[in-house]
Amino acid sequence: MTELATMNAPATTPAAKPHLPDAAKVTQVTHWTDRLFSFRVERPQSLRFRSGEFVMIGLLGDTGKPLLRAYSIASPSWDDGLEFYSIKVPDGPLTSRLQHIAVGDEIILRPKPVGTLVHDALLPGKRIWFLATGTGLAPFASLMRDPETYEKYDQVIMMHTCREVAELEYGRQLVESLHDDPLIGEMVAGKLLYYPTTTREAFPHMGRVTDNLASGKVFQDLGLPPMDPATDRAMVCGSLAFNVDVKAILEGFGLREGANSDPQEYVVEKAFVGDGI
Ligand code: FAD
Ligand code: A2P
């Protein structure tokens, strides 16, 4: 198509396909449900980031201007490639188009990683809780694959809640693959406790993260003591309502919110801006 357009164009016309600024080539795309997909791109050589951070990615909009959105990097900082885990919003300006990317396409990737879901923003502890709904799993997909997570903590608990079972599949396969991972398989063994739940379809464990924390069910199920600011640390990533409700529970356990500049016992990041779909 591009070749044809170029061939038919007058000699003075610039190339039909504009060269993307900060381009990254797509190397893999996996569709998990009609609302969720993940993809990998080549990692710009200059890009350094801390597991848990996010970057701005996107495509060229109709007007030729970059259409960018924040995305957590789902791959760990040691990985040669970059992975992202994405929603498909039917009429979303970016994801209505991004969901159609294919291997060999290019996306825009601004190489300026930032974010609060990083180890540096927490005081040392014994146990870390990763608390997520939906695509809020993405930063933890990075942190669960980072050796530093297992060097810093004796136990790592991943609580992930979605409405339906199929929405848990990306996380389930990722956790399963960790056990055979040559780099961190041994570190993960016995340390990573995975606690997926659903709220609207039958599953072995059900209920919202907030309800399972507040009722103490998750502590009972995993054989853990209730959260204690002396030992427990938490990172939270979900909708605004989820984050607000989880924060109240963590504060109830005596944990205080931290930041890069002021490490404390828990940190929070929005998984998206808006009320949900
Ligand atoms: P938008 O106009 O951006 O959103 C339209 C509406 O769709 C929103 O108002 C909201 O109601 C809903 N929505 C948007 N994103 C989500 C979502 N992820 N889950 C459920 N509902 C949503 N999105 C990802 O898919 N993966 C990520 O790793 C990711 N990381 C983010 C990190 C940060 C710090 C922030 C602020 C947002 C992140 N997002 C992530 C959301 C992302 O920036 C976009 O909002 C999303 O890609 C949809 O873009 P859009 O242009 O299609 O629609
Ligand atoms: P529920 O089904 O009870 O609403 P969504 O798809 O709306 O983003 O929600 C993803 C998951 O997060 C769902 O399982 C949903 O549970 C749960 N959830 C939504 N809001 C909250 C909240 N304020 N606190 C805890 N869990 C929430």
Short mmCIF file of all heavy atoms in Angstrom, two decimals, residues 35-37 54-56 67-74 84-98 133-136 138-139 237 269-277, ligand 1:
data_model
loop_
_atom_site.label_atom_id
_atom_site.label_comp_id
_atom_site.label_asym_id
_atom_site.label_seq_id
_atom_site.Cartn_x
_atom_site.Cartn_y
_atom_site.Cartn_z
N ARG A 35 -11.54 -7.44 25.43
CA ARG A 35 -11.22 -6.15 26.08
C ARG A 35 -9.75 -6.02 26.48
O ARG A 35 -9.35 -4.98 26.98
CB ARG A 35 -12.07 -5.99 27.35
CG ARG A 35 -13.55 -5.76 27.12
CD ARG A 35 -14.26 -5.51 28.44
NE ARG A 35 -13.77 -4.31 29.09
CZ ARG A 35 -13.58 -4.20 30.40
NH1 ARG A 35 -13.81 -5.22 31.19
NH2 ARG A 35 -13.15 -3.07 30.91
N LEU A 36 -8.96 -7.09 26.29
CA LEU A 36 -7.59 -7.07 26.80
C LEU A 36 -6.60 -7.65 25.80
O LEU A 36 -6.87 -8.69 25.20
CB LEU A 36 -7.50 -7.90 28.10
CG LEU A 36 -8.26 -7.36 29.31
CD1 LEU A 36 -8.36 -8.44 30.39
CD2 LEU A 36 -7.57 -6.12 29.86
N PHE A 37 -5.45 -7.00 25.64
CA PHE A 37 -4.37 -7.58 24.83
C PHE A 37 -3.03 -7.14 25.40
O PHE A 37 -2.97 -6.19 26.20
CB PHE A 37 -4.51 -7.21 23.35
CG PHE A 37 -4.22 -5.76 23.01
CD1 PHE A 37 -3.14 -5.43 22.21
CD2 PHE A 37 -5.04 -4.74 23.47
CE1 PHE A 37 -2.88 -4.10 21.86
CE2 PHE A 37 -4.79 -3.41 23.13
CZ PHE A 37 -3.70 -3.09 22.33
N PHE A 54 6.06 3.81 34.50
CA PHE A 54 5.29 3.90 33.26
C PHE A 54 5.91 4.91 32.30
O PHE A 54 6.72 5.75 32.70
CB PHE A 54 3.81 4.26 33.54
CG PHE A 54 3.56 5.64 34.09
CD1 PHE A 54 3.36 6.71 33.25
CD2 PHE A 54 3.51 5.87 35.46
CE1 PHE A 54 3.11 7.99 33.74
CE2 PHE A 54 3.26 7.14 35.98
CZ PHE A 54 3.06 8.21 35.12
N VAL A 55 5.53 4.77 31.03
CA VAL A 55 6.00 5.67 29.97
C VAL A 55 4.79 6.13 29.16
O VAL A 55 3.68 5.59 29.31
CB VAL A 55 7.01 4.99 29.01
CG1 VAL A 55 8.36 4.80 29.67
CG2 VAL A 55 6.46 3.67 28.47
N MET A 56 5.00 7.10 28.29
CA MET A 56 3.94 7.53 27.37
C MET A 56 4.15 6.79 26.04
O MET A 56 5.26 6.82 25.48
CB MET A 56 4.02 9.04 27.12
CG MET A 56 3.90 9.88 28.38
SD MET A 56 2.37 9.64 29.30
CE MET A 56 1.19 10.36 28.16
N LEU A 67 -0.66 10.87 19.44
CA LEU A 67 -1.74 10.63 20.39
C LEU A 67 -1.17 9.69 21.45
O LEU A 67 -0.95 8.51 21.17
CB LEU A 67 -2.91 9.98 19.65
CG LEU A 67 -4.12 9.53 20.47
CD1 LEU A 67 -4.74 10.69 21.22
CD2 LEU A 67 -5.14 8.91 19.53
N LEU A 68 -0.88 10.24 22.62
CA LEU A 68 -0.11 9.48 23.61
C LEU A 68 -0.93 9.21 24.86
O LEU A 68 -1.77 10.01 25.25
CB LEU A 68 1.15 10.26 24.00
CG LEU A 68 2.13 10.56 22.88
CD1 LEU A 68 3.24 11.49 23.38
CD2 LEU A 68 2.73 9.28 22.32
N ARG A 69 -0.67 8.08 25.50
CA ARG A 69 -1.29 7.72 26.78
C ARG A 69 -0.23 7.10 27.69
O ARG A 69 0.75 6.51 27.21
CB ARG A 69 -2.40 6.68 26.57
CG ARG A 69 -3.61 7.18 25.81
CD ARG A 69 -4.46 8.12 26.66
NE ARG A 69 -5.69 8.52 26.00
CZ ARG A 69 -5.83 9.61 25.25
NH1 ARG A 69 -4.80 10.41 25.05
NH2 ARG A 69 -7.00 9.91 24.71
N ALA A 70 -0.48 7.21 29.00
CA ALA A 70 0.43 6.59 29.97
C ALA A 70 0.24 5.07 29.95
O ALA A 70 -0.89 4.59 29.92
CB ALA A 70 0.13 7.14 31.37
N TYR A 71 1.34 4.34 29.97
CA TYR A 71 1.29 2.87 30.04
C TYR A 71 2.38 2.35 30.97
O TYR A 71 3.56 2.68 30.81
CB TYR A 71 1.51 2.24 28.65
CG TYR A 71 0.22 1.96 27.93
CD1 TYR A 71 -0.45 2.97 27.28
CD2 TYR A 71 -0.34 0.68 27.95
CE1 TYR A 71 -1.66 2.73 26.64
CE2 TYR A 71 -1.54 0.42 27.31
CZ TYR A 71 -2.20 1.45 26.66
OH TYR A 71 -3.40 1.21 26.04
N SER A 72 2.00 1.52 31.92
CA SER A 72 2.98 0.84 32.76
C SER A 72 3.78 -0.12 31.91
O SER A 72 3.21 -0.81 31.06
CB SER A 72 2.28 0.04 33.86
OG SER A 72 1.58 0.91 34.71
N ILE A 73 5.07 -0.18 32.14
CA ILE A 73 5.88 -1.19 31.46
C ILE A 73 5.67 -2.50 32.22
O ILE A 73 5.88 -2.56 33.43
CB ILE A 73 7.38 -0.79 31.47
CG1 ILE A 73 7.56 0.56 30.78
CG2 ILE A 73 8.22 -1.89 30.80
CD1 ILE A 73 8.98 1.12 30.88
N ALA A 74 5.19 -3.53 31.51
CA ALA A 74 4.85 -4.79 32.17
C ALA A 74 6.03 -5.75 32.22
O ALA A 74 5.99 -6.75 32.95
CB ALA A 74 3.68 -5.44 31.44
N PHE A 84 3.75 -4.48 27.14
CA PHE A 84 2.65 -3.68 27.66
C PHE A 84 1.39 -4.55 27.70
O PHE A 84 1.22 -5.46 26.88
CB PHE A 84 2.40 -2.45 26.78
CG PHE A 84 3.58 -1.51 26.74
CD1 PHE A 84 4.50 -1.57 25.68
CD2 PHE A 84 3.79 -0.59 27.75
CE1 PHE A 84 5.60 -0.71 25.65
CE2 PHE A 84 4.88 0.27 27.73
CZ PHE A 84 5.80 0.21 26.68
N TYR A 85 0.53 -4.26 28.69
CA TYR A 85 -0.72 -5.00 28.86
C TYR A 85 -1.83 -3.97 28.77
O TYR A 85 -1.87 -3.04 29.57
CB TYR A 85 -0.70 -5.68 30.23
CG TYR A 85 -1.93 -6.49 30.56
CD1 TYR A 85 -2.45 -7.42 29.66
CD2 TYR A 85 -2.56 -6.37 31.79
CE1 TYR A 85 -3.57 -8.17 29.97
CE2 TYR A 85 -3.68 -7.12 32.12
CZ TYR A 85 -4.17 -8.02 31.20
OH TYR A 85 -5.28 -8.78 31.52
N SER A 86 -2.72 -4.14 27.79
CA SER A 86 -3.63 -3.03 27.48
C SER A 86 -5.10 -3.40 27.44
O SER A 86 -5.49 -4.48 27.02
CB SER A 86 -3.25 -2.44 26.11
OG SER A 86 -4.10 -1.36 25.78
N ILE A 87 -5.88 -2.40 27.84
CA ILE A 87 -7.33 -2.44 27.67
C ILE A 87 -7.63 -2.13 26.20
O ILE A 87 -6.81 -1.54 25.50
CB ILE A 87 -7.97 -1.38 28.60
CG1 ILE A 87 -9.49 -1.50 28.69
CG2 ILE A 87 -7.60 0.05 28.15
CD1 ILE A 87 -9.94 -2.55 29.64
N LYS A 88 -8.84 -2.52 25.76
CA LYS A 88 -9.36 -2.05 24.47
C LYS A 88 -10.64 -1.28 24.79
O LYS A 88 -11.65 -1.90 25.13
CB LYS A 88 -9.72 -3.22 23.55
CG LYS A 88 -8.61 -4.23 23.28
CD LYS A 88 -9.16 -5.40 22.45
CE LYS A 88 -8.22 -6.57 22.44
NZ LYS A 88 -8.74 -7.75 21.70
N VAL A 89 -10.57 0.02 24.74
CA VAL A 89 -11.78 0.85 24.94
C VAL A 89 -12.40 1.03 23.55
O VAL A 89 -11.75 1.61 22.67
CB VAL A 89 -11.43 2.22 25.55
CG1 VAL A 89 -12.71 3.03 25.81
CG2 VAL A 89 -10.62 2.07 26.84
N PRO A 90 -13.64 0.55 23.34
CA PRO A 90 -14.22 0.53 21.98
C PRO A 90 -14.10 1.87 21.25
O PRO A 90 -13.71 1.91 20.10
CB PRO A 90 -15.67 0.15 22.23
CG PRO A 90 -15.64 -0.61 23.51
CD PRO A 90 -14.55 -0.01 24.35
N ASP A 91 -14.45 2.98 21.94
CA ASP A 91 -14.34 4.28 21.26
C ASP A 91 -13.21 5.11 21.86
O ASP A 91 -13.22 6.34 21.77
CB ASP A 91 -15.68 5.03 21.30
CG ASP A 91 -16.24 5.10 22.72
OD1 ASP A 91 -15.56 4.57 23.64
OD2 ASP A 91 -17.32 5.66 22.92
N GLY A 92 -12.25 4.45 22.50
CA GLY A 92 -11.12 5.17 23.08
C GLY A 92 -10.24 5.74 21.98
O GLY A 92 -9.91 5.03 21.02
N PRO A 93 -9.84 7.00 22.08
CA PRO A 93 -9.04 7.60 21.01
C PRO A 93 -7.81 6.76 20.65
O PRO A 93 -7.55 6.52 19.47
CB PRO A 93 -8.64 8.96 21.59
CG PRO A 93 -9.74 9.28 22.57
CD PRO A 93 -10.17 7.97 23.14
N LEU A 94 -7.08 6.29 21.64
CA LEU A 94 -5.89 5.50 21.32
C LEU A 94 -6.20 4.02 21.13
O LEU A 94 -5.86 3.43 20.10
CB LEU A 94 -4.81 5.65 22.41
CG LEU A 94 -3.55 4.83 22.10
CD1 LEU A 94 -2.86 5.32 20.84
CD2 LEU A 94 -2.59 4.82 23.27
N THR A 95 -6.86 3.40 22.11
CA THR A 95 -6.93 1.93 22.07
C THR A 95 -7.89 1.39 21.01
O THR A 95 -7.78 0.22 20.64
CB THR A 95 -7.27 1.34 23.45
OG1 THR A 95 -8.50 1.91 23.91
CG2 THR A 95 -6.15 1.62 24.44
N SER A 96 -8.80 2.23 20.50
CA SER A 96 -9.64 1.74 19.40
C SER A 96 -8.76 1.46 18.18
O SER A 96 -9.09 0.63 17.35
CB SER A 96 -10.72 2.77 19.04
OG SER A 96 -10.12 3.99 18.65
N ARG A 97 -7.59 2.12 18.11
CA ARG A 97 -6.66 1.87 17.00
C ARG A 97 -5.51 0.96 17.43
O ARG A 97 -5.07 0.09 16.68
CB ARG A 97 -6.10 3.20 16.51
CG ARG A 97 -7.19 4.06 15.84
CD ARG A 97 -6.65 5.41 15.46
NE ARG A 97 -5.40 5.30 14.71
CZ ARG A 97 -4.44 6.21 14.70
NH1 ARG A 97 -4.59 7.33 15.39
NH2 ARG A 97 -3.35 6.04 14.00
N LEU A 98 -5.03 1.19 18.66
CA LEU A 98 -3.86 0.42 19.13
C LEU A 98 -4.15 -1.09 19.15
O LEU A 98 -3.27 -1.90 18.93
CB LEU A 98 -3.48 0.90 20.54
CG LEU A 98 -2.16 0.41 21.10
CD1 LEU A 98 -0.97 1.02 20.33
CD2 LEU A 98 -2.02 0.74 22.58
N THR A 133 -6.47 -4.35 40.30
CA THR A 133 -7.64 -4.80 39.52
C THR A 133 -7.34 -4.55 38.05
O THR A 133 -6.62 -3.61 37.70
CB THR A 133 -8.92 -4.03 39.89
OG1 THR A 133 -8.71 -2.64 39.69
CG2 THR A 133 -9.33 -4.28 41.33
N GLY A 134 -7.91 -5.38 37.19
CA GLY A 134 -7.83 -5.18 35.74
C GLY A 134 -6.41 -5.01 35.24
O GLY A 134 -5.50 -5.75 35.62
N THR A 135 -6.20 -3.99 34.38
CA THR A 135 -4.87 -3.76 33.82
C THR A 135 -3.91 -3.16 34.85
O THR A 135 -2.74 -2.97 34.55
CB THR A 135 -4.93 -2.81 32.60
OG1 THR A 135 -5.48 -1.55 33.03
CG2 THR A 135 -5.74 -3.40 31.47
N GLY A 136 -4.41 -2.89 36.05
CA GLY A 136 -3.53 -2.48 37.16
C GLY A 136 -2.50 -3.55 37.49
O GLY A 136 -1.56 -3.31 38.24
N ALA A 138 -0.38 -4.57 35.38
CA ALA A 138 0.80 -4.34 34.53
C ALA A 138 2.09 -3.99 35.29
O ALA A 138 3.13 -4.63 35.06
CB ALA A 138 0.49 -3.29 33.46
N PRO A 139 2.09 -3.01 36.18
CA PRO A 139 3.35 -2.71 36.87
C PRO A 139 3.86 -3.89 37.70
O PRO A 139 5.08 -4.06 37.87
CB PRO A 139 3.00 -1.51 37.76
CG PRO A 139 1.51 -1.52 37.88
CD PRO A 139 1.00 -2.10 36.60
N CYS A 237 -2.61 -0.57 42.54
CA CYS A 237 -2.85 -0.04 41.20
C CYS A 237 -4.20 -0.51 40.67
O CYS A 237 -4.37 -1.69 40.34
CB CYS A 237 -1.72 -0.46 40.25
SG CYS A 237 -1.77 0.43 38.68
N GLU A 269 -0.75 4.00 42.53
CA GLU A 269 -0.74 4.62 41.19
C GLU A 269 -2.09 4.32 40.55
O GLU A 269 -2.62 3.23 40.71
CB GLU A 269 0.35 3.98 40.33
CG GLU A 269 0.63 4.72 39.06
CD GLU A 269 1.94 5.48 39.18
OE1 GLU A 269 2.99 4.86 39.01
OE2 GLU A 269 1.88 6.69 39.45
N LYS A 270 -2.59 5.27 39.78
CA LYS A 270 -3.85 5.02 39.05
C LYS A 270 -3.57 4.09 37.87
O LYS A 270 -2.60 4.29 37.14
CB LYS A 270 -4.42 6.33 38.52
CG LYS A 270 -5.15 7.13 39.57
CD LYS A 270 -6.01 8.22 38.94
CE LYS A 270 -5.21 9.44 38.58
NZ LYS A 270 -4.75 10.29 39.64
N ALA A 271 -4.45 3.10 37.66
CA ALA A 271 -4.32 2.22 36.49
C ALA A 271 -4.86 2.91 35.26
O ALA A 271 -4.54 2.54 34.13
CB ALA A 271 -5.05 0.91 36.73
N PHE A 272 -5.73 3.89 35.47
CA PHE A 272 -6.27 4.70 34.37
C PHE A 272 -7.00 5.88 34.98
O PHE A 272 -7.31 5.88 36.18
CB PHE A 272 -7.21 3.88 33.47
CG PHE A 272 -8.40 3.30 34.17
CD1 PHE A 272 -9.60 4.00 34.24
CD2 PHE A 272 -8.34 2.04 34.75
CE1 PHE A 272 -10.70 3.46 34.89
CE2 PHE A 272 -9.44 1.48 35.40
CZ PHE A 272 -10.62 2.19 35.48
N VAL A 273 -7.28 6.87 34.15
CA VAL A 273 -8.02 8.03 34.61
C VAL A 273 -9.44 7.92 34.07
O VAL A 273 -9.63 7.65 32.88
CB VAL A 273 -7.37 9.33 34.09
CG1 VAL A 273 -8.13 10.55 34.60
CG2 VAL A 273 -5.91 9.39 34.54
N GLY A 274 -10.45 8.08 34.92
CA GLY A 274 -11.84 7.96 34.47
C GLY A 274 -12.61 7.03 35.38
O GLY A 274 -12.05 6.45 36.31
N ASP A 275 -13.89 6.86 35.07
CA ASP A 275 -14.77 6.12 35.97
C ASP A 275 -14.85 4.63 35.64
O ASP A 275 -15.55 3.89 36.31
CB ASP A 275 -16.19 6.70 35.92
CG ASP A 275 -16.19 8.13 36.42
OD1 ASP A 275 -15.32 8.45 37.24
OD2 ASP A 275 -17.06 8.91 35.99
N GLY A 276 -14.20 4.22 34.58
CA GLY A 276 -14.32 2.82 34.18
C GLY A 276 -15.32 2.70 33.06
O GLY A 276 -16.04 3.64 32.73
N ILE A 277 -15.33 1.51 32.45
CA ILE A 277 -16.22 1.34 31.30
C ILE A 277 -17.18 0.19 31.56
O ILE A 277 -16.96 -0.60 32.44
CB ILE A 277 -15.42 1.06 30.00
CG1 ILE A 277 -14.34 -0.02 30.24
CG2 ILE A 277 -14.79 2.31 29.47
CD1 ILE A 277 -13.61 -0.44 28.99
P1 FAD B 1 -9.07 7.16 27.11
O1 FAD B 1 -9.76 8.38 26.55
O2 FAD B 1 -7.71 7.33 27.67
O3 FAD B 1 -9.99 6.47 28.18
C1 FAD B 1 -11.41 6.39 27.96
C2 FAD B 1 -12.03 5.76 29.19
O4 FAD B 1 -11.75 4.37 29.19
C3 FAD B 1 -11.49 6.29 30.54
O5 FAD B 1 -12.17 7.45 30.93
C4 FAD B 1 -11.76 5.13 31.43
O6 FAD B 1 -13.09 5.18 31.88
C5 FAD B 1 -11.58 3.90 30.52
N1 FAD B 1 -10.23 3.30 30.64
C6 FAD B 1 -9.06 3.80 30.18
N2 FAD B 1 -8.03 2.96 30.46
C7 FAD B 1 -8.57 1.91 31.13
C8 FAD B 1 -8.00 0.74 31.68
N3 FAD B 1 -6.68 0.47 31.59
N4 FAD B 1 -8.82 -0.12 32.27
C9 FAD B 1 -10.17 0.12 32.36
N5 FAD B 1 -10.76 1.23 31.86
C10 FAD B 1 -9.96 2.11 31.24
N6 FAD B 1 -3.95 1.39 30.39
C11 FAD B 1 -3.65 0.13 30.03
O7 FAD B 1 -4.42 -0.50 29.31
N7 FAD B 1 -2.48 -0.46 30.45
C12 FAD B 1 -1.60 0.17 31.26
O8 FAD B 1 -0.54 -0.38 31.61
C13 FAD B 1 -1.90 1.51 31.66
N8 FAD B 1 -1.07 2.18 32.48
C14 FAD B 1 -1.42 3.44 32.92
C15 FAD B 1 -0.61 4.10 33.83
C16 FAD B 1 -0.96 5.36 34.31
C17 FAD B 1 -0.07 6.06 35.30
C18 FAD B 1 -2.17 5.97 33.84
C19 FAD B 1 -2.58 7.34 34.33
C20 FAD B 1 -2.96 5.34 32.91
C21 FAD B 1 -2.61 4.06 32.44
N9 FAD B 1 -3.42 3.37 31.52
C22 FAD B 1 -3.11 2.09 31.17
C23 FAD B 1 -4.58 4.02 30.87
C24 FAD B 1 -4.14 4.58 29.51
O9 FAD B 1 -3.35 5.72 29.73
C25 FAD B 1 -5.35 4.95 28.59
O10 FAD B 1 -6.34 5.59 29.30
C26 FAD B 1 -5.91 3.73 27.90
O11 FAD B 1 -4.92 3.18 27.04
C27 FAD B 1 -7.14 4.06 27.03
O12 FAD B 1 -6.78 5.03 26.09
P2 FAD B 1 -7.85 5.57 25.05
O13 FAD B 1 -7.27 6.78 24.39
O14 FAD B 1 -8.31 4.46 24.19
O15 FAD B 1 -9.09 6.02 25.96
#
